[in-house]
Amino acid sequence: MGGPGNPPEGTPEGVPGGGEDEYRSVVFDESFVRAARLQEFSAQERIADHAPAVRRRTPVRRGLSRQALVLVLLIAVAFGTAIYMGVRNPYQTPAARGPGEPLRMTVIPLAPEGEVPGTADPASLYAHSPAAQFKSGAEGVPLPASRRTAHFSDSQVVTALTTAKDYIVRSALDPEVLTGREVRSVRVLLDPDQLEQFDQSFARPTADGHHAPTGWLVRFDPSRAELAEREVRVQGTLQAAEADSSTLEVTADHTFVYALRPAGAAAKDEVSLFTLRRELQFRFDREDLRLHQARLVVSYVQAGPLSCAEDSTNHLRPLLAGQTAKEGGPAGTDPYATGSATALCGSLARSAQPKV
């Protein structure tokens, strides 16, 4: 008699494995069941919905989802764009910059021919001087009409002119600078390559044509004179031109007229005029333009009334109303006239003084 799991007549011949079920080796694990395309409904589901006994399952997607594919695609596009822009970058990489060109400066004192005229009314002095029609403050330093050059755009030319004007205004019109209390506002406008020369000029002033504070800015000896009016009369020009394909050059030529009185004097004391003609030459490369900085390469100053016997390297020590120069100089020099003086000390022409 056969066993409980075998047919009565025994195991049929030809059955592999000695009569064992050929599917007994197949293991229906959980992953196999979940992967089946057909799934049997539960008894409750079949009663409620009258649905067939089985339902077709949505096949499990293998690989990346649609969102992941889109993300990968976007990353690839961004990466490709970055590489393309790196190769086709329209902005030029700044060229290596050599040592900064040192500022060459000349300060020429102009001695008066006789007594320095003065009056208690500054407006009267201006009205009777060649500065009668000069404008006050920064209005006397207007920007010219600018045009692009072969290698620089309109905006770059305007930036060069504006930076040069800022330097002029800060270094010759700011009362804090004129009285010797401030230098940083001028320093921050300079090309970094010139800062060492600038700092040495104020730490150790020397009349060597490179390290005179009065070559960088205008300042009066506070123990000698003070401003009678904060507004300074100015007239002059600014011009921009291309020095070469990588350099813009701005030339400034201005005459400044200051109303001064003795230090600590009362308001009723006499006031005199001090005239200073200043020619500056600036150069700008593209990095200077980007940083709003200037490279000052030439500073040529004529100023008076001054005494040729006094040192004008660190401060200007003006001769005031009623004073005379101890020493004169060569033929009279008029700072209002065009052309450059060549003397190391000159005489202030009578035509440059107010007629009072």
Side-chain angles (χ1 to χ4, degrees):
M1 184 173 181
N6 297 325
E9 58 275 7
T11 303
E13 295 182 0
V15 177
E20 295 181 359
D21 188 350
E22 62 177 319
Y23 298 105
R24 183 171 296 178
S25 61
V26 178
V27 178
F28 296 98
D29 59 8
E30 184 177 355
S31 62
F32 181 86
V33 174
R34 289 183 179 277
R37 291 183 176 273
L38 297 179
Q39 182 182 33
E40 184 179 2
F41 285 103
S42 67
Q44 185 66 34
E45 288 175 325
R46 291 199 299 271
I47 294 174
D49 297 333
H50 303 285
V54 296
R55 61 185 169 201
R56 184 174 296 276
R57 295 182 53 143
T58 303
V60 178
R61 294 183 179 273
R62 301 297 181 184
L64 296 175
S65 66
R66 180 177 299 177
Q67 292 84 352
L69 287 173
V70 172
L71 179 60
V72 171
L73 181 60
L74 289 176
I75 293 174
V77 171
F79 185 71
T81 302
I83 294 176
Y84 176 80
M85 293 301 293
V87 174
R88 299 291 301 274
N89 186 2
Y91 301 100
Q92 298 180 357
T93 301
R97 306 175 72 184
E101 181 177 356
L103 169 62
R104 305 186 307 276
M105 57 183 69
T106 304
V107 180
I108 300 176
L110 303 178
E113 299 176 352
E115 286 189 0
V116 177
T119 179
D121 181 17
S124 176
L125 281 177
Y126 281 124
H128 292 87
S129 77
Q133 303 303 318
F134 285 15
K135 293 184 179 180
S136 296
E139 292 183 0
V141 192
L143 294 178
S146 60
R147 294 181 180 178
R148 62 175 301 139
T149 66
H151 299 92
F152 292 89
S153 66
D154 287 333
S155 62
Q156 288 175 317
V157 174
V158 170
T159 297
L161 290 168
T162 302
T163 305
K165 175 177 178 174
D166 289 346
Y167 188 94
I168 292 166
V169 170
R170 295 187 191 185
S171 64
L173 299 178
D174 183 354
E176 295 297 311
V177 173
L178 297 175
T179 54
R181 293 193 292 267
E182 172 67 46
V183 299
R184 185 181 179 278
S185 61
V186 178
R187 186 181 187 274
V188 296
L189 287 177
L190 288 172
D191 184 288
D193 291 335
Q194 290 192 303
L195 296 182
E196 182 178 357
Q197 183 187 4
F198 182 90
D199 294 338
Q200 288 180 355
S201 299
F202 289 86
R204 295 181 296 277
T206 308
D208 61 355
H210 296 287
H211 297 93
T214 49
W216 295 100
L217 48 81
V218 179
R219 66 175 184 175
F220 301 104
D221 185 346
S223 67
R224 176 73 63 88
E226 63 184 35
L227 295 172
E229 282 191 348
R230 293 178 65 88
E231 290 294 329
V232 180
R233 303 294 179 92
V234 191
Q235 181 171 284
T237 60
L238 278 170
Q239 294 181 336
E242 185 175 302
D244 55 50
S245 61
S246 61
T247 309
L248 270 177
E249 189 171 272
V250 174
T251 302
D253 186 354
H254 293 84
T255 299
F256 305 85
V257 184
Y258 306 86
L260 303 177
R261 62 164 56 98
K268 63 181 180 179
D269 289 349
E270 287 194 332
V271 176
S272 59
L273 296 184
F274 185 89
T275 305
L276 183 144
R277 181 179 171 193
R278 192 181 189 211
E279 299 175 55
L280 303 178
Q281 187 177 90
F282 303 90
R283 287 182 185 158
F284 303 84
D285 59 21
R286 286 179 172 79
E287 186 71 1
D288 291 325
L289 295 173
R290 185 180 71 83
L291 297 175
H292 193 70
Q293 294 172 336
R295 188 185 296 263
L296 182 60
V297 295
V298 175
S299 173
Y300 185 84
V301 177
Q302 305 170 62
L306 290 169
S307 173
C308 294
E310 298 215 50
D311 185 11
S312 300
T313 302
N314 193 17
H315 292 90
L316 298 173
R317 297 180 170 86
L319 295 172
L320 304 172
Q323 295 180 337
T324 59
K326 296 180 180 180
E327 295 182 12
T333 301
D334 185 351
Y336 292 92
T338 58
S340 299
T342 57
L344 295 179
C345 183
S347 293
L348 184 63
R350 292 186 182 274
S351 60
Q353 296 274 42
K355 298 176 175 59
V356 295

